[in-house]
Amino acid sequence: MSRFNLVTEPWICIIEIETGQQRLVSMAEAFRHADKYRCLAGDTETQDFAVLRVLVAVLQTVYSRYDASGVPYDAVTVNNQMQQISDLDPNEDEEAFDEYLDQLDGTWDQLWKQKQFTSIVLDYLNCWNDHFYLFDDRFPFFQTTKSTLEKVLPKGKKASPVAGKFLNRTISESNNKVALFAPKADSQKDHLDEAELARWIITYQGYTGLSDKASLVKEGQKPSKGWLFDIGGLYLEGNNLFETLMLNYIPYHLAEQYRGKRQRPCWEYSDQDVIDRLVSGTPVNNFAELYTNWSRIVYMDPKTDMDQPVNVGDAKLPLIAHDVQLEPMTIWHFNKSGDFKGHFTPCKYTPEQAMWRSFGLITLKTSTDTDKEQYRPGILEQYSRVKQVAGNRWFTLHAVGMRDDGNATSWLPIDELTDSLNLNDIVISDTNSNGWVVRVNEVVDVTKKVVDSVYWSFLKRITEIRDMDESAGNQYIYREKELLYQRLDKQFRNWLEELNPDDSIETKAREWRKQCKTIVVSRAKDLVSQSGGRDFTGIEKGDNIENVPTAYLTFLRMLNQTIGEVN
């Protein structure tokens, strides 16, 4: 029984540009009219991120095989199912391979100029139409069949039951923990319609946790919490859905080891093939496979009655390697110790920390062969090339992550973390040694030094003067630092978002340092004005008396030394 085809049935939430209204569209509609839609507008931003990657996986797959006119590239051999039948080896014919890469770039450029996707995308979706059914006994989308489930589970083991209220991340309720202020009444928490279920299954594969018990994870492997759960996600948003998809579609990876690899979206392979590759630890070497990665075997009865509570079965799958720099939509962290010492791994977001504080990790790239501790997100590295076609423009850089419950045995997703910056492209594309990227990062570093070192020292002296114990003192310092960052946050965002290519870098940097100094001094004065008698009496330090006023004078001297001349 085949029901609810994602190619033709509406399930993707979008906002129409003309009406400003939210509505559901099919995958075919999403690609056919992408220029008419403002953005994805699902239940959560993490859901939108997961769905966006599935849509981008379609583009990565189709346009790695066919040009904008729908003609296969000379270097690529495709079968009657529009599949690339083998990887390309750049060493076999270097000239032909370079020509292929140029053609991939040319396809991106042509699509951007046309401002819409070509019919080859719809031809591809129609070709694979029978692999996009939500309910199916052969190729259920992002799921496994009953026969495969019974085959791969250890003898005597059953899949873990997963209720609709656990799939639905606006509730995220388990049998042991009731969600307060849930958006659905208790009697309806396990109910989902087909469109909701399609979106949440995709999201569940990306943000899962570890609370389920059934597992296919072998000794020496680790279970997946969901690839998206483990990264600090990034994506670029344009003026409409077409631009957003294009800005996150990368014709080929900048790292040579990934070039020429076949795109392997999960729907092109049987559920058994997908499971076997994950269980065997086969490295993921292409975008489409990464974007459609499974963290779980999910089984849902094809005859499921949607008028009844939703229930699926699942089993853990192994996580994919984290020290492989294939992922283009994340910040990377260089590990100086631990299991991944000497390697980069995706960097999760720190709760309550504004994205601009990680500006260097996001925008800077390795400058020399000896500088191995910086790796720029692939979508931004790609943008440095495509801006030649896209031209000077404004866009939004989004950050998406998931907070866990802090329990290492469950890692239950409990809340999403999101942030965004509206930027002129010059701020991320001008990577010259004295360009905007480097200079803005210097401003960020100075700002962080002012708060984390200069202001920290001032706060530390206050805790000593007040004879606070270590725990209370640390809490006070942390709280006051974050309050200062909150004061700086809006002003810095305004400064960053107003930068223009015609501005003088020196003038704008001095403008922010002056503004930063004003904000920090104002907050320090507030603390001085709140001082009591003991703060003015102070404590003996050697031959001197240190009190809040003397600590404030020391703070001003350090601030002037750090922030420089700003008059």
Side-chain angles (χ1 to χ4, degrees):
M1 177 183 293
S2 300
R3 289 189 292 144
F4 201 81
N5 188 280
L6 275 64
V7 173
T8 58
E9 297 278 0
W11 64 279
I12 301 171
C13 293
I14 56 88
I15 298 291
E16 288 184 314
I17 294 176
E18 183 176 352
T19 66
Q21 298 297 308
Q22 180 187 51
R23 73 179 184 92
L24 298 179
V25 298
S26 66
M27 289 184 78
E29 287 180 287
F31 287 113
R32 186 183 293 116
H33 303 300
D35 60 321
K36 303 293 193 300
Y37 306 141
R38 175 71 64 199
C39 60
L40 297 179
D43 302 279
T44 64
E45 292 193 47
T46 45
Q47 183 189 92
D48 287 339
F49 185 51
V51 172
L52 174 70
R53 286 165 66 93
V54 170
L55 297 178
V56 174
V58 174
L59 300 178
Q60 298 286 170
T61 300
V62 173
Y63 291 118
S64 70
R65 304 168 185 176
Y66 298 86
D67 65 19
S69 301
V71 177
Y73 301 109
D74 292 337
V76 176
T77 302
V78 294
N79 60 21
N80 58 6
Q81 288 185 285
M82 303 179 71
Q83 282 180 298
Q84 182 176 337
I85 64 173
S86 62
D87 295 342
L88 301 181
D89 185 352
N91 296 319
E92 286 186 2
D93 189 335
E94 188 174 341
E95 184 175 345
F97 188 78
D98 288 343
E99 174 65 20
Y100 170 65
L101 299 183
D102 288 341
Q103 290 173 336
L104 292 177
D105 279 336
T107 295
W108 194 101
D109 297 349
Q110 185 175 344
L111 291 172
W112 184 268
K113 291 174 183 177
Q114 292 178 184
K115 300 187 183 302
Q116 59 183 178
F117 300 113
T118 51
S119 60
I120 191 64
V121 176
L122 301 180
D123 293 342
Y124 172 82
L125 291 176
N126 289 332
C127 180
W128 287 92
N129 183 76
D130 60 347
H131 286 238
F132 283 87
Y133 281 104
L134 183 63
F135 302 99
D136 191 55
D137 56 4
R138 296 183 305 153
F139 310 114
F141 189 74
F142 265 62
Q143 305 158 63
T144 190
T145 61
K146 185 176 182 180
S147 60
T148 301
L149 180 69
E150 293 173 344
K151 180 180 178 182
V152 299
L153 282 179
K155 189 175 181 179
K157 297 292 184 180
K158 293 183 178 181
S160 301
V162 180
K165 61 188 177 184
F166 191 78
L167 291 174
N168 186 341
R169 292 303 184 198
T170 63
I171 300 176
S172 287
E173 179 176 302
S174 68
N175 292 328
N176 301 318
K177 183 179 180 182
V178 176
L180 300 178
F181 312 111
K184 290 187 177 184
D186 287 346
S187 62
Q188 295 296 310
K189 285 181 179 178
D190 287 325
H191 287 257
L192 298 167
D193 62 32
E194 290 89 344
E196 288 178 306
L197 183 57
R199 298 193 303 272
W200 284 122
I201 282 182
I202 291 171
T203 309
Y204 182 67
Q205 292 283 20
Y207 303 94
T208 318
L210 296 177
S211 59
D212 39 358
K213 292 182 172 58
S215 176
L216 270 68
V217 180
K218 298 179 180 178
E219 186 176 351
Q221 295 179 326
K222 293 182 179 179
S224 175
K225 299 190 290 291
W227 175 251
L228 300 186
F229 202 171
D230 274 347
I231 71 173
L234 289 175
Y235 71 95
L236 295 170
E237 182 181 32
N239 293 324
N240 54 45
L241 182 57
F242 169 79
E243 290 191 357
T244 298
L245 291 169
M246 287 293 292
L247 291 173
N248 294 285
Y249 146 52
I250 302 176
Y252 57 86
H253 204 286
L254 294 178
E256 293 184 2
Q257 67 264 35
Y258 300 123
R259 295 180 184 175
K261 304 301 182 185
R262 284 172 292 173
Q263 299 297 315
R264 298 177 59 94
C266 66
W267 54 78
E268 286 193 357
Y269 299 88
S270 71
D271 53 351
Q272 185 70 63
D273 288 337
V274 173
I275 294 167
D276 287 346
R277 284 177 66 85
L278 289 168
V279 171
S280 66
T282 303
V284 178
N285 61 14
N286 62 95
F287 291 129
E289 186 175 4
L290 181 65
Y291 296 167
T292 61
N293 171 251
W294 293 6
S295 64
R296 293 294 181 274
I297 299 173
V298 174
Y299 171 71
M300 184 167 51
D301 188 341
K303 298 179 181 179
T304 294
D305 182 355
M306 296 305 291
D307 290 330
Q308 300 298 316
V310 168
N311 237 304
V312 304
D314 85 349
K316 297 173 186 173
L317 288 167
L319 58 76
I320 57 178
H322 280 45
D323 58 343
V324 179
Q325 291 158 249
L326 172 65
E327 175 62 68
M329 299 184 189
T330 193
I331 299 173
W332 291 90
H333 167 70
F334 184 79
N335 295 272
K336 296 183 178 181
S337 60
D339 294 342
F340 296 106
K341 182 178 180 180
H343 295 270
F344 288 93
T345 52
C347 183
K348 293 194 71 171
Y349 296 123
T350 302
E352 288 85 44
Q353 180 168 306
M355 182 166 52
W356 61 263
R357 289 162 65 178
S358 299
F359 186 85
L361 287 175
I362 295 172
T363 57
L364 290 175
K365 63 180 180 179
T366 302
S367 57
T368 68
D369 290 338
T370 57
D371 179 10
K372 300 296 185 182
E373 298 183 17
Q374 190 68 51
Y375 189 78
R376 198 180 193 201
I379 54 170
L380 299 188
E381 193 67 21
Q382 157 74 1
Y383 191 83
S384 297
R385 186 201 73 81
V386 303
K387 79 176 296 289
Q388 300 171 20
V389 177
N392 290 332
R393 57 183 292 108
W394 293 84
F395 61 85
T396 302
L397 179 63
H398 286 278
V400 184
M402 185 71 79
R403 188 201 304 264
D404 60 66
D405 64 353
N407 185 342
T409 62
S410 64
W411 294 122
L412 183 69
I414 59 172
D415 190 20
E416 64 180 7
L417 306 170
T418 62
D419 198 357
S420 62
L421 290 172
N422 297 314
L423 302 168
N424 187 287
D425 62 16
I426 195 71
V427 177
I428 65 163
S429 60
D430 183 8
T431 56
N432 294 323
S433 59
N434 200 38
W436 279 98
V437 170
V438 173
R439 297 307 302 276
V440 170
N441 189 59
E442 289 174 355
V443 169
V444 172
D445 284 346
V446 167
T447 305
K448 290 164 63 176
K449 186 175 181 180
V450 165
V451 180
D452 296 336
S453 179
V454 177
Y455 192 62
W456 178 91
S457 296
F458 176 52
L459 296 174
K460 182 66 173 176
R461 287 187 174 88
I462 291 177
T463 65
E464 292 172 350
I465 291 166
R466 293 176 179 173
D467 196 25
M468 300 172 71
D469 64 51
E470 184 176 1
S471 176
N474 289 339
Q475 289 180 22
Y476 172 79
I477 292 172
Y478 174 81
R479 182 177 67 252
E480 290 299 330
K481 275 179 51 183
E482 291 308 308
L483 286 173
L484 179 57
Y485 268 124
Q486 289 175 25
R487 287 196 177 191
L488 291 167
D489 183 61
K490 183 178 180 180
Q491 300 304 320
F492 186 83
R493 287 174 186 276
N494 291 340
W495 175 83
L496 189 62
E497 293 170 6
E498 291 172 359
L499 296 178
N500 279 294
D502 295 335
D503 291 333
S504 162
I505 299 179
E506 290 294 340
T507 299
K508 298 303 290 188
R510 185 167 57 252
E511 176 186 298
W512 170 250
R513 292 199 305 271
K514 182 177 182 179
Q515 194 171 359
C516 176
K517 181 178 180 180
T518 299
I519 295 170
V520 176
V521 169
S522 174
R523 181 56 188 159
K525 285 182 177 178
D526 288 344
L527 295 184
V528 174
S529 68
Q530 297 166 10
S531 300
R534 175 173 181 154
D535 296 332
F536 286 96
T537 300
I539 58 174
E540 291 185 9
K541 271 204 168 182
D543 296 331
N544 300 315
I545 296 295
E546 183 166 65
N547 55 21
V548 168
T550 61
Y552 176 72
L553 292 175
T554 301
F555 154 76
L556 288 179
R557 184 172 62 254
M558 293 176 62
L559 179 62
N560 289 328
Q561 291 172 348
T562 302
I563 213 161
E565 179 61 46
V566 294
N567 295 327

